[in-house]
Amino acid sequence: MIWTNDPSRLMMVAGMSVGYALVCLAPYLRTRRKRLAAARARAEAAASPGWIVTYASQTGNADELAQQTAATLKLAGIPARLCELSELDAQDLQDAERILFLVSTYGEGDAPDAAAGFAGRLMTTSLPLPQLHYAVLALGDSAYTQFCGFGRALDHWLQAQGAQTLFPRVEVNRSSEQAIGQWRQQLSHLAGTSDAPDWSAPAFDAWRLSERVQLNAGSAGAPVYHLELEPLSGALPDWQSGDLVQVAAPADPARAREYSIASIPADGRVHLLVRLHTHEDGSHGVASGWLTQQASLGETVQLRLRPHRRFRLEGNAERPLVLIGNGSGIAGLRGHLKARALAGQGRNWLLFGERNAAYDYHYRAELDGWQRDGMLEKLDLVFSRDQAERRYVQDRLAEQAELVRNWIAEGAAIYICGSLDGMAAGVDAALAAALGRDGLDALAAAGRYRRDVY
């Protein structure tokens, strides 16, 4: 090594040394901050009287209510651990003094995807919990036979283990404000405070219906329309792929209808894909009929965006994606594909099913373009009426079980969007056959199996 007394060279060497030291120091400081934050959280939890607020959410409602519940406790000076139900084990239940469960029901009485492992692992066993005091907020939809089925099953299981209720189970039908108010009132009494955070949903904003195009003219199925909306204020709000909108139709503004967003903010508008629903008496769905038939272009639509954290990419943004859907479910998957294309992430496999290729190949030009540009590595299309024997997306998936296992081994996440009846159940069965039910439950608990089904 050659040494020098040149001041300029010495300064340069010193500067490089300092720069290198800072580069090495930065990761250490970030790690140290994380460790200190974790230690503070553990100390706070240890100082608390054993409170846990836990949730099982399919579309994000239970998640949001759990955050508001934890905030109310914090305001009263009660620190509590906030976590997904899947994170709790037997020891957590036996150590805790008080747990507030906020859980939704998926389909006909089932646990949400991320809670399936908890239900299978613990709710099928005997676990003495005489020290536990708990309450259950059960979210559901009375249109299903097993209304609040999972919340009721959880409540009954806890009682059978000797746990004691803090107050009777509160059941919420379609986000009923009255029922949520009942939970909030009980919680305020429990926490000893009436100065709770604002639990009200954001107000609806005025949007303009700027474009409407039927995508499946001539189809044997119900009409499907591509809609584009823009805010009258001119200020486009932010959202992520996977999020939802709520639309308040004039005929029933008290009950908002939810739709998957088929676009990303870079598109400059909110895109929706709406299938016209027709009842047996020939009348149309309140929201779908108004959006696709009655509202004129340029008319004002009352709309608000809602985060759908259980269907966002978030921690899966860098993973390969297996996207599966049918019908208007292509809307939520299109949003993800747009986000991936914008980020230059091309490891995407789309499996999509509809009736006929000639009429029901929604967004064909875009899908073909993404495949050509390397943003869609694999595209599997299944049109059920294009052959004598009807085939569906779950049939194609079952045939490629080995490839599914390969993608999962490479770290892929699975996203499903579309109809609950038929498609979602069939796809779930095909995935369970390929990966094992325990393996699929583990993916759900890790956030790598996400569904937006209806």
Side-chain angles (χ1 to χ4, degrees):
M1 180 177 291
I2 301 175
W3 293 94
T4 177
N5 292 323
D6 186 341
S8 60
R9 290 191 176 185
L10 289 173
M11 289 179 65
M12 181 178 69
V13 171
M16 291 174 64
S17 300
V18 171
Y20 179 74
L22 290 174
V23 169
C24 295
L25 184 61
Y28 166 76
L29 292 175
R30 284 195 298 269
T31 302
R32 185 171 182 271
R33 281 196 298 270
K34 289 181 179 179
R35 288 176 177 171
L36 290 174
R40 283 195 300 270
R42 287 193 297 270
E44 188 176 75
S48 76
W51 284 81
I52 296 176
V53 177
T54 186
Y55 61 92
S57 188
Q58 190 70 27
T59 64
N61 287 328
D63 182 351
E64 292 182 9
L65 291 171
Q67 294 185 51
Q68 292 164 346
T69 296
T72 298
L73 293 177
K74 183 177 181 181
L75 186 69
I78 302 174
R81 172 186 171 189
L82 176 65
C83 65
E84 282 201 89
L85 188 60
S86 61
E87 296 177 28
L88 296 183
D89 57 24
Q91 195 63 52
D92 290 321
L93 296 179
Q94 292 180 317
D95 289 345
E97 296 179 16
R98 296 175 181 84
I99 302 182
L100 302 180
F101 296 88
L102 298 91
V103 300
S104 63
T105 292
Y106 162 70
E108 290 292 353
D110 295 328
D113 293 335
F118 176 93
R121 186 176 69 252
L122 295 177
M123 292 174 61
T124 56
T125 65
S126 177
L127 183 67
L129 300 171
Q131 88 300 336
L132 179 62
H133 295 73
Y134 76 95
V136 173
L137 179 72
L139 307 178
D141 186 335
S142 59
Y144 292 94
T145 305
Q146 301 297 326
F147 172 60
C148 290
F150 178 61
R152 292 176 179 179
L154 175 62
D155 191 11
H156 294 157
W157 179 77
L158 289 166
Q159 290 183 33
Q161 311 315 307
Q164 304 171 58
T165 58
L166 293 163
F167 51 84
R169 179 180 66 247
V170 176
E171 296 184 347
V172 182
N173 182 28
R174 298 174 181 170
S175 300
S176 164
E177 292 184 6
Q178 182 178 359
I180 293 173
Q182 182 184 349
W183 173 264
R184 183 182 179 186
Q185 183 181 33
Q186 293 280 13
L187 185 64
S188 294
H189 290 162
L190 206 61
T193 178
S194 58
D195 186 21
D198 183 11
W199 286 38
S200 60
F204 285 89
D205 294 320
W207 291 62
R208 180 187 299 107
L209 180 59
S210 301
E211 186 171 337
R212 179 174 58 210
V213 179
Q214 183 178 353
L215 298 186
N216 66 338
S219 171
V224 173
Y225 292 85
H226 170 87
L227 309 180
E228 297 188 10
L229 303 103
E230 50 192 1
L232 289 183
S233 66
L236 191 71
D238 193 28
W239 71 88
Q240 294 183 30
S241 64
D243 284 348
L244 305 168
V245 298
Q246 295 180 324
V247 174
D252 188 9
R255 184 187 164 203
R257 272 63 169 183
E258 291 189 333
Y259 297 95
S260 301
I261 302 177
S263 58
I264 56 176
D267 293 316
R269 290 177 173 178
V270 160
H271 296 178
L272 306 179
L273 194 63
V274 179
R275 187 183 296 275
L276 176 62
H277 181 67
T278 303
H279 301 292
E280 290 184 1
D281 62 2
S283 63
H284 293 147
V286 171
S288 67
W290 180 64
L291 287 171
T292 66
Q293 306 295 305
Q294 300 159 17
S296 303
L297 288 181
E299 193 164 340
T300 298
V301 176
Q302 294 299 316
L303 179 150
R304 65 185 176 202
L305 277 68
R306 188 170 80 77
H308 189 355
R309 293 183 177 87
R310 286 296 307 167
F311 202 66
R312 285 180 169 181
L313 293 180
E314 295 186 333
N316 295 323
E318 303 296 322
R319 296 180 180 276
L321 292 189
V322 180
L323 306 167
I324 307 169
N326 72 333
S328 58
I330 192 65
L333 305 182
R334 179 183 187 242
H336 284 327
L337 285 170
K338 281 177 166 286
R340 299 278 283 182
L342 185 65
Q345 296 282 347
R347 289 233 53 204
N348 306 302
W349 175 11
L350 173 65
L351 298 99
F352 174 68
E354 250 287 8
R355 284 178 172 82
N356 301 105
Y359 306 108
D360 304 301
Y361 193 163
H362 310 317
Y363 302 118
R364 179 172 190 160
E366 281 186 335
L367 296 178
D368 290 348
W370 283 325
Q371 192 173 33
R372 182 181 60 249
D373 296 340
M375 290 296 103
L376 187 52
E377 183 173 314
K378 185 170 174 55
L379 176 61
D380 279 302
L381 301 168
V382 185
F383 295 100
S384 59
R385 270 66 166 181
D386 280 355
Q387 58 278 316
E389 180 182 356
R390 292 188 177 179
R391 290 173 50 76
Y392 301 96
V393 68
Q394 55 264 37
D395 299 320
R396 179 65 61 84
L397 187 65
E399 294 169 353
Q400 304 195 69
E402 184 62 30
L403 189 58
V404 170
R405 287 191 287 270
N406 291 342
W407 276 63
I408 295 302
E410 294 169 3
I414 302 171
Y415 284 75
I416 299 172
C417 192
S419 60
L420 173 61
D421 295 332
M423 188 279 295
V427 165
D428 185 77
L431 289 171
L435 304 171
R437 174 54 61 183
D438 289 344
L440 193 56
D441 287 346
L443 284 179
R448 290 173 57 193
Y449 178 41
R450 302 192 175 203
R451 297 192 287 185
D452 177 13
V453 296
Y454 42 85

